């Protein structure tokens, strides 16, 4: 079987929390008393056991050794599948485990045949859903697209659903229809991918990088499907929607990628149009800012700043473009602090400054002196963790987030380009002109 770049994510981390413990001597065949489930669990746990053995023996990592162990598991899976297949009768559940053994041995025909038989008739539950995922994987690989679509639709109608699994299924179908130049069906499945990525995001869990990758990849494939059908307006709207999602999360990294895709899709695009008057309906309260040290400002929480407009500026003293924004930040602070603007310069310990290694005490002293030397009148928040960067998706600086008086992120500025800073200033004025709700009490903390 060809290796997939986005193979279904849970098929190799299957299923049972109980692992069969076999005392079998290497090369000894299993007894007839061992159930299909026990045979599968032994194979499924093989990699973990071998890796634990190597770790205990302090064997250094070797990619050739890793591939050898994976090949041993494939061979063991094939052997057990053959043994199980040779038994005189198999129960319905046995067909599932036979299919999984064929899957682990990468036997497409065997996996398809066994899972089809297992699903014949009414099949519900986790095993049925995993069986459907296996069928889609191999049906796409063998260009059995009609079957793959039908089984994918069944997966979408049944429970339980693993959103990562559903995303992988729709990705396989999207790529398949792209290769077949059926761009209408490509768009359909890319829309399913995009919707699944958004549903996964709403759970507020998992790897930030993976979350952003899922959203970006699905939106890019959907926009490409529209472009190939000469539907440029829909392609552009897809990236505008991605940008709105990025603001709502918030994720500066995803926002930046969405802007880049917009620029490629329409080099003449007017980025001034991305300034929206209404709050983002999917936006939730932004993550609190972690600070181990607060310079020229009392430790505070964003929640306590409701009623004010907050500008979070992620920066570092070694960042040249960050320094380019200082005059604007100074001007905005002086002009709007009485109207309710609070600027927080968010940074972290980097362990160096001006080419010299520094401990945290030395770096903190450096930041205090840097602030005075550059006449920066707003407060600094210094973290000894990377939490702020991950919570806001900040993997390049400068990056700024505007939070309105109701506590919602309304705009992200990615970089220090003149156009980006200009749009940040326009949006800042808009938010300051918005009235605070009568119930919102303005905090005195940052005055």
């Amino acid at each position: 079987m060809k290796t997939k770049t986005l193979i279904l994510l849970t098929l190799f981390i299957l299923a049972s929390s109980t692992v069969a413990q076999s005392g079998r001597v290497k090369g000894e065949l299993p007894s007839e008393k061992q159930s299909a489930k026990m045979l599968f669990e032994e194979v499924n746990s093989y990699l973990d056991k071998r890796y634990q053995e190597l770790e205990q023996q302090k064997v250094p990592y070797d990619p050739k050794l890793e591939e050898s162990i994976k090949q041993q598991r494939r061979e063991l899976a094939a052997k057990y599948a053959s043994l199980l297949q040779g038994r005189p009768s198999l129960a319905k559940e046995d067909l599932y485990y036979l299919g999984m053994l064929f899957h682990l041995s990468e036997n497409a025909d065997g996996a398809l045949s066994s899972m089809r038989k297992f699903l014949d008739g009414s099949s519900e539950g986790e095993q049925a859903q995993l069986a459907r995922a296996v069928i889609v994987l191999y049906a796409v690989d063998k260009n059995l697209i009609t079957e793959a679509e039908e089984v994918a639709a069944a997966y979408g109608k049944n429970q339980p659903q693993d959103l990562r699994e559903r995303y992988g299924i729709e990705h396989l179908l999207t790529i398949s229809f792209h290769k077949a130049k059926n761009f209408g069906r490509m768009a359909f499945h890319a829309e399913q991918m995009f919707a699944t990525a958004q549903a996964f995001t709403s759970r507020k869990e998992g790897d930030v990088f993976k979350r952003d990758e899922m959203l970006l990849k699905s939106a890019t494939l959907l926009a490409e499907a529209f472009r190939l059908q000469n539907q440029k307006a829909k392609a552009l709207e897809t990236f505008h929607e991605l940008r709105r999602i990025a603001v709502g999360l918030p994720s500066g990294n995803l926002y930046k990628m969405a802007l880049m895709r917009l620029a490629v899709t329409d080099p003449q695009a007017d980025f001034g149009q991305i300034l929206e008057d209404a709050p983002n309906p999917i936006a939730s309260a932004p993550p609190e800012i972690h600070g181990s040290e607060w310079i020229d400002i009392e430790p505070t929480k964003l929640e306590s700043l409701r009623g004010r407009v907050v500008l979070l500026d992620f920066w570092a003293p070694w960042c040249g473009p960050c320094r380019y924004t200082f005059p604007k930040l100074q001007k905005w602070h002086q002009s709007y602090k009485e109207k309710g603007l609070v600027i927080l310069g968010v940074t972290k310990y980097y362990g160096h400054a001006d080419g010299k290694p520094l401990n945290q005490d030395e770096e903190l002293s450096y930041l205090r002196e840097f602030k005075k030397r550059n006449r920066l009148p707003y407060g600094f928040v210094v973290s000894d963790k990377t939490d702020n960067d991950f919570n806001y998706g900040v993997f390049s600086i400068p990056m700024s987030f505007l939070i309105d008086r109701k506590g919602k992120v309304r705009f992200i500025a990615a970089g220090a380009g003149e156009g980006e800073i200009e749009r940040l200033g326009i949006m800042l004025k808009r938010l300051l002109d918005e009235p605070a709700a009568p119930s919102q009490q303005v905090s005195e903390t940052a005055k």
Side-chain angles (χ1 to χ4, degrees), residues 339-351:
K339 295 183 179 181
L341 174 65
V342 176
I343 299 177
L344 295 176
V346 183
T347 190
K348 63 186 178 185
Y349 291 113
Y350 286 94

Side-chain angles (χ1 to χ4, degrees), residues 292-334:
S292 51
E293 292 290 342
W294 299 69
I295 301 178
D296 295 343
I297 184 173
E298 290 297 318
T300 189
K301 291 185 176 295
L302 295 178
E303 186 178 5
S304 70
L305 296 176
R306 296 284 175 86
R308 293 179 176 272
V309 174
V310 180
L311 195 166
L312 302 178
D313 179 55
F314 284 76
W315 73 288
W318 47 260
C319 168
C322 298
R323 299 189 185 207
Y324 180 80
T325 67
F326 287 167
K328 284 290 185 182
L329 295 172
Q330 290 166 326
K331 181 180 178 181
W332 290 337
H333 175 83
Q334 296 298 340

Side-chain angles (χ1 to χ4, degrees), residues 75-219:
E75 293 172 357
L76 185 63
K79 180 191 294 184
Y80 284 7
S82 178
L83 287 169
L84 188 58
Q85 195 175 27
R87 291 181 178 177
S89 63
L90 294 176
K92 185 177 178 67
E93 188 179 64
D94 293 343
L95 290 170
Y96 168 78
Y97 290 114
L98 176 59
M100 294 310 300
L101 284 169
F102 278 129
H103 170 60
L104 292 178
S105 68
E106 300 185 0
N107 183 328
D109 291 332
L112 280 170
S113 176
S114 299
M115 291 311 193
R116 286 167 181 158
K117 292 176 183 177
F118 171 70
L119 290 174
D120 187 29
S122 176
S123 293
E124 299 177 350
E126 183 178 4
Q127 289 184 349
Q129 290 291 73
L130 284 170
R132 292 182 178 105
V134 170
I135 289 177
V136 172
L137 175 65
Y138 291 110
V140 166
D141 195 52
K142 297 175 76 66
N143 205 31
L144 303 172
I145 304 305
T146 299
E147 179 182 11
E149 274 202 294
E150 290 174 352
V151 175
Y155 186 97
K157 293 176 182 177
N158 285 276
Q159 295 293 335
Q161 287 189 30
D162 184 303
L163 292 176
R164 295 168 297 177
E165 197 82 83
R166 178 74 186 275
Y167 181 91
I169 287 171
E170 298 299 341
H171 178 258
L172 288 172
L173 288 165
T174 299
I175 296 301
S176 179
F177 280 113
H178 179 257
K179 291 179 180 177
K181 301 187 185 304
N182 187 337
F183 304 128
R185 297 308 293 169
M186 175 188 175
F188 173 82
H189 289 289
E191 284 180 319
Q192 298 300 310
M193 275 183 73
F194 196 27
T196 303
Q198 292 176 62
F200 180 77
T201 295
S202 68
R203 293 186 173 184
K204 304 292 183 185
E205 63 181 29
D207 186 334
V208 170
F209 291 103
K210 189 63 185 178
R211 177 201 70 191
D212 286 1
E213 179 192 6
M214 290 171 69
L215 287 164
L216 179 62
K217 181 171 288 186
S218 55

Side-chain angles (χ1 to χ4, degrees), residues 366-430:
Y366 175 87
L367 288 170
R368 293 185 188 280
E369 178 58 31
F370 182 95
K371 189 175 185 299
K372 291 179 182 177
R373 187 168 67 251
N374 288 276
R375 299 179 181 178
L376 299 176
Y378 49 86
F380 284 4
V381 185
V382 188
S383 178
D384 58 0
K385 302 178 180 179
T386 57
D387 291 16
N388 295 330
D389 293 344
F390 280 94
N391 288 341
Y392 282 82
V394 176
F395 308 123
S396 64
I397 51 176
M399 188 84 70
S400 298
F401 298 78
L402 266 182
I403 302 173
D404 68 13
R405 296 183 189 276
K406 296 179 181 179
K408 300 294 180 67
V409 175
R410 293 280 293 279
F411 186 75
I412 301 174
E418 290 186 11
E420 197 74 352
I421 298 303
E422 181 181 359
R423 288 188 287 274
L424 178 61
I426 292 171
M427 197 64 184
L428 175 59
K429 292 176 184 177
R430 286 190 189 180

